Amino acid sequence: MHAIENHPPDSDTRHPEAMLFEIQRLSTEDGPGIRTTVFFKGCSLACTWCHNPESISAQPQLHWIASRCIGCGTCCTECPEGALDLSADGVTIDRTRCTNCGQCAAECPSTAMEIIGTRWSLDNLVHEVLKDRAYFASSGGGVTAGGGEPGLQAPFLAAFLRTLKQESIHTAVDTCGCFSGRSLDDFLPFTDLVLYDLKEIDPNRHRMFTGCANARILDNLQTIRARMAAGASPGELWIRTPVIPDATATEANIAGIGHWIADHLRGAVSRWELCAFNNLCRDKYLRLDRDWPLKANPLLSRDMMEHLADIARCSGVDPDIVHWSGSTQCPVT
Amino acid sequence: MATAVQHQEMPPLKTPRQLSPRIQWLRDYYFQGADRKWNNQFLAWSTGTPWDVQFNEMTFYIVPEAYTLLQTLRGSFRQAARDIDLPHAFWSWSLPERRAWFVKEVMVHHVPREILPGDLLAGARFNLQTSLCLTEEEQKAFDDALLGKNGARARMKWFHDHGYGNTGATSGHLVPDHAMVLQNGWRGIHGDLSKCYENLNRIDQEGPRGAQLRAMITAATMPRELAAAYRNLCLRMADAASDEQRRQELDRMAENLERVPWKPPRNFWEAVQTLWLNHMLIMSDENYPGPGVSFGRIDQYLLPYWEVSLREGMDREFGKEILKCFWIHCNTVYDAMIRNGRQGITSGFGQLITLSGMGPEGADMTNDLTYAILEVIDDMSPILEPKPNVRLHRGTPPTLLDKVVAMISDSQGAPFLLNFDERSMAGMMREAERAGCRHLIHPDNVHDYAPVGCLENTMVGNDRSGTVDNNLNLLKAVELALTGGRDLLPFHNPMTGKTEPIAQDGPQTGDAVTFESWEKFWEAYTVQTDYIIRKCVDTYEASESLRARYFPTPYLSCLVRGCAEKGLDVTQGGAELNFTTLEAVTYATTVDSLLAIKYLVFDRQKCTMTELITALKANWLGFEVLQTMARNRAPKYGRDDDKSDAMARQVMNLWCDLAWQHRTTSTDRQFRPGMLSWNYWAGDGFVMAASADGRPRGQFLSNAICPSNGADTKGPTANANSVGKVLGGRATDGRADWGDYFNCLPNGASHTITFHPSIIRDPEHRTKFKAFLKGYAENGGTCLQVNILDPDMLRDAQQHPENYPHLMVRITGYNAYFTAIGKELQNEVIERVSHQGY
């Protein structure tokens, strides 16, 4: 169970740092226009379907990318803990010994050994994301803070978004909603758009799939709704629902989420996106030496996605806000 | 809503559509290739003298694939050439007069004339190999200078064999003054030439200027006489036509030819007929098919005729039909060596058309003809010629961007290049400044520029900038800096089996092993760069001076402003704007090699200079760990990383400053810098030794201004930003070259980016892609080729992951480097790209 205490180590408040696992430029899936998405490392949920398993732990993590490896053994020599072993099958990491110190990754000639998770100072991160401001301007895009759960690094997130707003950059936060409500008011004033995940409406099932019940998530969402109603930021709210076979991909769940949106968020949501299950992350689990129960699950069919989208449209929300995206099964050939 | 379109399958290959039976037939017939009864292959013609030669091999010096064929081609054309009866006075004339008469005689009286069924334009065969028209004495002098021990051919071969690149005085690559012919007709040009001649004093009339003008006057009558001959053919065919509609068309074509191109055209059909005859005769005159002989802003100068004809009742579709015939005609350049197949020189002749772009005061010039031509391209494609280049700028209308992006989405990649005005015009203004020609290129006319060949920016109607004449491997300077001026490896001649001993070819900059700092190495690199540029300039001079002396093109000279006034052939520097372009090849490989040397040897001390040099000599064999480090750990250009890009700027600035220091001796043409690599980056990868960036011999070099293959791991925006930065970036303080743009490469630079198809999968994403293009106009380079990832590329990446470390697959929110995922997943991604288009 991943608890909310999954915080990165305290950072110096005068020189705040974030723990990130990726910065994605020309991102076209995380809000309007062309965006740079900053992925914060560390999540308060541990969804069984998570397609970024490396985002869950707030700590740096070592992984080994087989296709890059030339089998030189430098990593094994460099490892001060003797945690690495090179055999015909490649490098194995003894996770009980590995301290994620990163020495092997620093010396690996091919970057096959890689530490996921990098500390970024505010100044450097702002400098980095502003490199694409011409594309933000031409597209109505901007910067999205995603993850992981960016709300877990709220002080940094707030400072980051505040700086971007001073630069007139459109900001979005992509959140699972599971964090202390007190953090919300740190960063909401500097957030133009919230992309909010509503995964499962039934609290027990939510706990079963993600490790947490959804009460706090729904509370925080209502807080956001209240801020919007008062004319404060964010100006826009999108809801995203991962559609996972044998989990969230049920008529009851989609209809239930729709009812909840209609009842509690009427008029506030401008887009509700159903995101089809993606199984392309299987290798990521392997590289973290984790088993993934969903690894054999097939993609949903296009018909199924259309059907659930229809359910969503009839659930009481404005049907025009419903979209769906993602990969579906290849047509039979 | 987005989802409606999202799951449509993408057609694997664009197919032509909406073709009338006429065009469908012409297109199908064309693609029968060598099986066709009719074709436009080279026909060779001789003065009948025993020493006669047709083939001007210098035009092929920039085509390394052709080197082994030079002697054969020279012999075969000579063997096949048919004799022409010469007038008695022939040998008493000057060379340009002989040549003008000979080409005209062949075109008007000897080359067979046909009109294909349904064709709306006259002017079919034009690929010629005409006699050089040299006297015995001239031919001997020419051959000595060409084929002697230190002749042009040997020097150009040495230059290529030793990895410097290639250089040679090449034909085409300019935009002729078609607008002048449309306005005044050839009659006007003829009249102007006669006046120029009459205004010469007696001594000049009897001298070379007079001879040149007389040759041009002769050449100026060639279009009239050829049109008359085609008119007769049309009339004969009309008489024989059983189909009434066809009879009327042929009558109308005869009427057109009675007027044009001698008199100015009055309507669209006449204007296109004029344009075609102007154009095809340049290729006859130069004895070379379509080498970047470009049309310039066709949607601007043809617009008045388009509008007149539409007003007078021409059906818009019929106007497009005329254009489609024009398209077919352009493709017949490929017939020149049709029996060779379509590889090498027979692919991509680059008769470029320019569409849209900026006008005076930043106005956008897109018009109905722009769209009509795009529709023609859309209907006809895939087809190779003419190549379109669409000029975009900040004020490009959304409708045009929509059309451009729709065509890209439809074709799995762009059926055109995209030129970016602000950055390009900045380059032209830089040229004006550096070359002191602000009276010819200035803020009031720079928007009239047009690219030639592919993307090489020039002015129009008065500019020959030799845009593909010099192709220099900058990487050679890194090699020579490592060795102190000697080749890293001895040249082994596969034809003779002999290995040449290594010599001290470049300046002695010292043994790099003794260098104690990076600065020392950089110093050596600058000295060697200066040397390879001089070497290129000297080697070029050999063919440039021979062309100027022995290969006049009087017909083409009529179409280039400056030649008549100066009484100089365009090959002798007659154009008002005379440049020759030094195209840098291997830019990113050079930058990355320098970055790797700095990183491996000096900054991180991962190896000694001795080890590095040994590894390069061994082609990295036995040094795989070091090679892997060079590839993966050393910094690279193209990631929008300020430090690496600063090195790229240094290389760029050095190279440009040195390029501007040179002029040709024989013709006084100013060298200017550019970046284009045609296909050399592939072929020369086998010629050049291993490089410090981790590349082994035999692997491709980097292409033009693009980052090294696979180095752009931060995606398209970072890639584009790096390119814009090394061209000079922007400044708002008034120092910039044009507006707030800098551009140190007047010629422009070729840039290709490959996108994942998800970027164009639905209207919402197409809007984002349009925004990318607008962002590119702000931050990027002069010219962009958009490629869309296809399954074949993914399969290749699966086989050769080392070439594709940057390849990103994006599936709605899932992003991964393709080569970092397992084979089974890769197969799945390939499946999806094949079936769903993303």
PDB file of all heavy atoms in Angstrom, chain B residues 484-508:
ATOM      1  N   GLY B 484      47.312  16.017 -37.785  1.00  0.00           N
ATOM      2  CA  GLY B 484      48.249  17.060 -38.192  1.00  0.00           C
ATOM      3  C   GLY B 484      48.353  17.177 -39.703  1.00  0.00           C
ATOM      4  O   GLY B 484      49.430  17.401 -40.244  1.00  0.00           O
ATOM      5  N   GLY B 485      47.243  16.990 -40.396  1.00  0.00           N
ATOM      6  CA  GLY B 485      47.220  17.287 -41.829  1.00  0.00           C
ATOM      7  C   GLY B 485      47.399  16.083 -42.741  1.00  0.00           C
ATOM      8  O   GLY B 485      47.616  16.244 -43.940  1.00  0.00           O
ATOM      9  N   ARG B 486      47.293  14.877 -42.209  1.00  0.00           N
ATOM     10  CA  ARG B 486      47.445  13.671 -43.041  1.00  0.00           C
ATOM     11  C   ARG B 486      46.169  12.836 -42.942  1.00  0.00           C
ATOM     12  O   ARG B 486      45.513  12.815 -41.903  1.00  0.00           O
ATOM     13  CB  ARG B 486      48.638  12.847 -42.555  1.00  0.00           C
ATOM     14  CG  ARG B 486      49.940  13.624 -42.574  1.00  0.00           C
ATOM     15  CD  ARG B 486      51.000  12.978 -41.676  1.00  0.00           C
ATOM     16  NE  ARG B 486      51.394  11.662 -42.156  1.00  0.00           N
ATOM     17  CZ  ARG B 486      52.305  11.451 -43.109  1.00  0.00           C
ATOM     18  NH1 ARG B 486      52.909  12.484 -43.654  1.00  0.00           N
ATOM     19  NH2 ARG B 486      52.611  10.233 -43.490  1.00  0.00           N
ATOM     20  N   ASP B 487      45.838  12.140 -44.022  1.00  0.00           N
ATOM     21  CA  ASP B 487      44.674  11.250 -43.947  1.00  0.00           C
ATOM     22  C   ASP B 487      44.875  10.240 -42.819  1.00  0.00           C
ATOM     23  O   ASP B 487      45.988   9.774 -42.586  1.00  0.00           O
ATOM     24  CB  ASP B 487      44.496  10.472 -45.264  1.00  0.00           C
ATOM     25  CG  ASP B 487      43.967  11.365 -46.380  1.00  0.00           C
ATOM     26  OD1 ASP B 487      43.587  12.522 -46.095  1.00  0.00           O
ATOM     27  OD2 ASP B 487      43.933  10.898 -47.544  1.00  0.00           O
ATOM     28  N   LEU B 488      43.770   9.896 -42.166  1.00  0.00           N
ATOM     29  CA  LEU B 488      43.857   8.917 -41.084  1.00  0.00           C
ATOM     30  C   LEU B 488      44.209   7.537 -41.642  1.00  0.00           C
ATOM     31  O   LEU B 488      44.967   6.777 -41.058  1.00  0.00           O
ATOM     32  CB  LEU B 488      42.508   8.868 -40.354  1.00  0.00           C
ATOM     33  CG  LEU B 488      42.449   8.203 -39.004  1.00  0.00           C
ATOM     34  CD1 LEU B 488      43.347   8.917 -37.992  1.00  0.00           C
ATOM     35  CD2 LEU B 488      41.010   8.206 -38.489  1.00  0.00           C
ATOM     36  N   LEU B 489      43.622   7.222 -42.802  1.00  0.00           N
ATOM     37  CA  LEU B 489      43.843   5.920 -43.428  1.00  0.00           C
ATOM     38  C   LEU B 489      44.322   6.131 -44.858  1.00  0.00           C
ATOM     39  O   LEU B 489      43.911   7.085 -45.509  1.00  0.00           O
ATOM     40  CB  LEU B 489      42.528   5.126 -43.459  1.00  0.00           C
ATOM     41  CG  LEU B 489      41.885   4.818 -42.113  1.00  0.00           C
ATOM     42  CD1 LEU B 489      40.489   4.240 -42.329  1.00  0.00           C
ATOM     43  CD2 LEU B 489      42.745   3.853 -41.311  1.00  0.00           C
ATOM     44  N   PRO B 490      45.173   5.239 -45.348  1.00  0.00           N
ATOM     45  CA  PRO B 490      45.616   5.378 -46.741  1.00  0.00           C
ATOM     46  C   PRO B 490      44.453   5.114 -47.705  1.00  0.00           C
ATOM     47  O   PRO B 490      43.571   4.309 -47.405  1.00  0.00           O
ATOM     48  CB  PRO B 490      46.710   4.319 -46.881  1.00  0.00           C
ATOM     49  CG  PRO B 490      46.455   3.340 -45.797  1.00  0.00           C
ATOM     50  CD  PRO B 490      45.740   4.059 -44.694  1.00  0.00           C
ATOM     51  N   PHE B 491      44.459   5.812 -48.828  1.00  0.00           N
ATOM     52  CA  PHE B 491      43.409   5.594 -49.820  1.00  0.00           C
ATOM     53  C   PHE B 491      43.715   4.338 -50.616  1.00  0.00           C
ATOM     54  O   PHE B 491      44.788   4.171 -51.188  1.00  0.00           O
ATOM     55  CB  PHE B 491      43.297   6.791 -50.764  1.00  0.00           C
ATOM     56  CG  PHE B 491      42.393   6.513 -51.941  1.00  0.00           C
ATOM     57  CD1 PHE B 491      41.030   6.291 -51.737  1.00  0.00           C
ATOM     58  CD2 PHE B 491      42.897   6.445 -53.236  1.00  0.00           C
ATOM     59  CE1 PHE B 491      40.200   6.001 -52.808  1.00  0.00           C
ATOM     60  CE2 PHE B 491      42.060   6.159 -54.310  1.00  0.00           C
ATOM     61  CZ  PHE B 491      40.715   5.939 -54.087  1.00  0.00           C
ATOM     62  N   HIS B 492      42.726   3.464 -50.620  1.00  0.00           N
ATOM     63  CA  HIS B 492      42.855   2.230 -51.384  1.00  0.00           C
ATOM     64  C   HIS B 492      41.944   2.341 -52.597  1.00  0.00           C
ATOM     65  O   HIS B 492      40.747   2.550 -52.463  1.00  0.00           O
ATOM     66  CB  HIS B 492      42.446   1.039 -50.510  1.00  0.00           C
ATOM     67  CG  HIS B 492      42.441  -0.255 -51.251  1.00  0.00           C
ATOM     68  ND1 HIS B 492      43.605  -0.945 -51.498  1.00  0.00           N
ATOM     69  CD2 HIS B 492      41.438  -0.963 -51.808  1.00  0.00           C
ATOM     70  CE1 HIS B 492      43.301  -2.039 -52.192  1.00  0.00           C
ATOM     71  NE2 HIS B 492      41.996  -2.072 -52.392  1.00  0.00           N
ATOM     72  N   ASN B 493      42.531   2.233 -53.770  1.00  0.00           N
ATOM     73  CA  ASN B 493      41.748   2.357 -54.995  1.00  0.00           C
ATOM     74  C   ASN B 493      41.186   0.997 -55.394  1.00  0.00           C
ATOM     75  O   ASN B 493      41.931   0.109 -55.788  1.00  0.00           O
ATOM     76  CB  ASN B 493      42.632   2.921 -56.115  1.00  0.00           C
ATOM     77  CG  ASN B 493      41.816   3.269 -57.339  1.00  0.00           C
ATOM     78  OD1 ASN B 493      40.735   2.714 -57.555  1.00  0.00           O
ATOM     79  ND2 ASN B 493      42.331   4.206 -58.138  1.00  0.00           N
ATOM     80  N   PRO B 494      39.884   0.849 -55.290  1.00  0.00           N
ATOM     81  CA  PRO B 494      39.303  -0.474 -55.572  1.00  0.00           C
ATOM     82  C   PRO B 494      39.398  -0.834 -57.054  1.00  0.00           C
ATOM     83  O   PRO B 494      39.331  -2.009 -57.410  1.00  0.00           O
ATOM     84  CB  PRO B 494      37.842  -0.325 -55.138  1.00  0.00           C
ATOM     85  CG  PRO B 494      37.569   1.137 -55.180  1.00  0.00           C
ATOM     86  CD  PRO B 494      38.869   1.833 -54.939  1.00  0.00           C
ATOM     87  N   MET B 495      39.584   0.169 -57.922  1.00  0.00           N
ATOM     88  CA  MET B 495      39.670  -0.107 -59.360  1.00  0.00           C
ATOM     89  C   MET B 495      41.039  -0.686 -59.721  1.00  0.00           C
ATOM     90  O   MET B 495      41.138  -1.568 -60.555  1.00  0.00           O
ATOM     91  CB  MET B 495      39.436   1.175 -60.175  1.00  0.00           C
ATOM     92  CG  MET B 495      38.117   1.841 -59.910  1.00  0.00           C
ATOM     93  SD  MET B 495      36.734   0.891 -60.558  1.00  0.00           S
ATOM     94  CE  MET B 495      36.842   1.305 -62.302  1.00  0.00           C
ATOM     95  N   THR B 496      42.065  -0.158 -59.081  1.00  0.00           N
ATOM     96  CA  THR B 496      43.410  -0.607 -59.443  1.00  0.00           C
ATOM     97  C   THR B 496      43.973  -1.581 -58.414  1.00  0.00           C
ATOM     98  O   THR B 496      44.985  -2.229 -58.663  1.00  0.00           O
ATOM     99  CB  THR B 496      44.375   0.596 -59.517  1.00  0.00           C
ATOM    100  OG1 THR B 496      44.399   1.206 -58.212  1.00  0.00           O
ATOM    101  CG2 THR B 496      43.920   1.613 -60.532  1.00  0.00           C
ATOM    102  N   GLY B 497      43.334  -1.639 -57.247  1.00  0.00           N
ATOM    103  CA  GLY B 497      43.849  -2.493 -56.184  1.00  0.00           C
ATOM    104  C   GLY B 497      45.054  -1.894 -55.478  1.00  0.00           C
ATOM    105  O   GLY B 497      45.654  -2.507 -54.604  1.00  0.00           O
ATOM    106  N   LYS B 498      45.409  -0.665 -55.859  1.00  0.00           N
ATOM    107  CA  LYS B 498      46.605  -0.057 -55.267  1.00  0.00           C
ATOM    108  C   LYS B 498      46.246   0.792 -54.050  1.00  0.00           C
ATOM    109  O   LYS B 498      45.172   1.382 -53.993  1.00  0.00           O
ATOM    110  CB  LYS B 498      47.304   0.833 -56.298  1.00  0.00           C
ATOM    111  CG  LYS B 498      48.102   0.055 -57.310  1.00  0.00           C
ATOM    112  CD  LYS B 498      48.872   1.008 -58.217  1.00  0.00           C
ATOM    113  CE  LYS B 498      49.425   0.245 -59.407  1.00  0.00           C
ATOM    114  NZ  LYS B 498      49.617   1.112 -60.560  1.00  0.00           N
ATOM    115  N   THR B 499      47.181   0.841 -53.124  1.00  0.00           N
ATOM    116  CA  THR B 499      46.996   1.689 -51.956  1.00  0.00           C
ATOM    117  C   THR B 499      48.002   2.832 -52.019  1.00  0.00           C
ATOM    118  O   THR B 499      49.203   2.594 -52.171  1.00  0.00           O
ATOM    119  CB  THR B 499      47.197   0.875 -50.668  1.00  0.00           C
ATOM    120  OG1 THR B 499      46.218  -0.176 -50.662  1.00  0.00           O
ATOM    121  CG2 THR B 499      47.010   1.734 -49.437  1.00  0.00           C
ATOM    122  N   GLU B 500      47.487   4.051 -51.906  1.00  0.00           N
ATOM    123  CA  GLU B 500      48.385   5.212 -51.947  1.00  0.00           C
ATOM    124  C   GLU B 500      48.998   5.427 -50.577  1.00  0.00           C
ATOM    125  O   GLU B 500      48.302   5.320 -49.572  1.00  0.00           O
ATOM    126  CB  GLU B 500      47.588   6.489 -52.278  1.00  0.00           C
ATOM    127  CG  GLU B 500      47.220   6.663 -53.720  1.00  0.00           C
ATOM    128  CD  GLU B 500      46.374   7.923 -53.918  1.00  0.00           C
ATOM    129  OE1 GLU B 500      46.385   8.808 -53.036  1.00  0.00           O
ATOM    130  OE2 GLU B 500      45.698   8.005 -54.955  1.00  0.00           O
ATOM    131  N   PRO B 501      50.290   5.749 -50.530  1.00  0.00           N
ATOM    132  CA  PRO B 501      50.869   6.090 -49.220  1.00  0.00           C
ATOM    133  C   PRO B 501      50.262   7.394 -48.689  1.00  0.00           C
ATOM    134  O   PRO B 501      49.876   8.262 -49.470  1.00  0.00           O
ATOM    135  CB  PRO B 501      52.355   6.270 -49.517  1.00  0.00           C
ATOM    136  CG  PRO B 501      52.437   6.521 -50.985  1.00  0.00           C
ATOM    137  CD  PRO B 501      51.257   5.855 -51.623  1.00  0.00           C
ATOM    138  N   ILE B 502      50.169   7.496 -47.387  1.00  0.00           N
ATOM    139  CA  ILE B 502      49.609   8.712 -46.784  1.00  0.00           C
ATOM    140  C   ILE B 502      50.606   9.859 -46.952  1.00  0.00           C
ATOM    141  O   ILE B 502      51.807   9.673 -46.753  1.00  0.00           O
ATOM    142  CB  ILE B 502      49.321   8.474 -45.289  1.00  0.00           C
ATOM    143  CG1 ILE B 502      48.205   7.434 -45.157  1.00  0.00           C
ATOM    144  CG2 ILE B 502      48.926   9.774 -44.592  1.00  0.00           C
ATOM    145  CD1 ILE B 502      47.858   7.070 -43.737  1.00  0.00           C
ATOM    146  N   ALA B 503      50.106  11.020 -47.330  1.00  0.00           N
ATOM    147  CA  ALA B 503      50.986  12.169 -47.550  1.00  0.00           C
ATOM    148  C   ALA B 503      50.583  13.327 -46.646  1.00  0.00           C
ATOM    149  O   ALA B 503      49.497  13.329 -46.076  1.00  0.00           O
ATOM    150  CB  ALA B 503      50.913  12.595 -49.016  1.00  0.00           C
ATOM    151  N   GLN B 504      51.479  14.275 -46.556  1.00  0.00           N
ATOM    152  CA  GLN B 504      51.174  15.483 -45.789  1.00  0.00           C
ATOM    153  C   GLN B 504      50.376  16.417 -46.694  1.00  0.00           C
ATOM    154  O   GLN B 504      50.911  17.311 -47.326  1.00  0.00           O
ATOM    155  CB  GLN B 504      52.483  16.150 -45.332  1.00  0.00           C
ATOM    156  CG  GLN B 504      52.295  17.396 -44.473  1.00  0.00           C
ATOM    157  CD  GLN B 504      51.752  17.074 -43.090  1.00  0.00           C
ATOM    158  OE1 GLN B 504      52.195  16.125 -42.449  1.00  0.00           O
ATOM    159  NE2 GLN B 504      50.772  17.841 -42.631  1.00  0.00           N
ATOM    160  N   ASP B 505      49.062  16.218 -46.749  1.00  0.00           N
ATOM    161  CA  ASP B 505      48.227  17.006 -47.660  1.00  0.00           C
ATOM    162  C   ASP B 505      47.855  18.364 -47.057  1.00  0.00           C
ATOM    163  O   ASP B 505      47.851  19.374 -47.727  1.00  0.00           O
ATOM    164  CB  ASP B 505      46.941  16.244 -47.982  1.00  0.00           C
ATOM    165  CG  ASP B 505      47.219  14.920 -48.668  1.00  0.00           C
ATOM    166  OD1 ASP B 505      48.114  14.889 -49.541  1.00  0.00           O
ATOM    167  OD2 ASP B 505      46.547  13.927 -48.346  1.00  0.00           O
ATOM    168  N   GLY B 506      47.534  18.365 -45.796  1.00  0.00           N
ATOM    169  CA  GLY B 506      47.094  19.604 -45.148  1.00  0.00           C
ATOM    170  C   GLY B 506      48.231  20.240 -44.377  1.00  0.00           C
ATOM    171  O   GLY B 506      49.345  19.709 -44.335  1.00  0.00           O
ATOM    172  N   PRO B 507      47.946  21.394 -43.789  1.00  0.00           N
ATOM    173  CA  PRO B 507      48.986  22.066 -43.001  1.00  0.00           C
ATOM    174  C   PRO B 507      49.390  21.244 -41.779  1.00  0.00           C
ATOM    175  O   PRO B 507      48.588  20.482 -41.237  1.00  0.00           O
ATOM    176  CB  PRO B 507      48.325  23.381 -42.568  1.00  0.00           C
ATOM    177  CG  PRO B 507      46.889  23.269 -42.893  1.00  0.00           C
ATOM    178  CD  PRO B 507      46.688  22.148 -43.846  1.00  0.00           C
ATOM    179  N   GLN B 508      50.637  21.399 -41.357  1.00  0.00           N
ATOM    180  CA  GLN B 508      51.120  20.670 -40.184  1.00  0.00           C
ATOM    181  C   GLN B 508      50.670  21.401 -38.928  1.00  0.00           C
ATOM    182  O   GLN B 508      51.264  22.391 -38.537  1.00  0.00           O
ATOM    183  CB  GLN B 508      52.642  20.589 -40.217  1.00  0.00           C
ATOM    184  CG  GLN B 508      53.141  19.762 -41.387  1.00  0.00           C
ATOM    185  CD  GLN B 508      54.644  19.585 -41.360  1.00  0.00           C
ATOM    186  OE1 GLN B 508      55.335  20.091 -40.477  1.00  0.00           O
ATOM    187  NE2 GLN B 508      55.168  18.867 -42.339  1.00  0.00           N
TER     188      GLN B 508
END
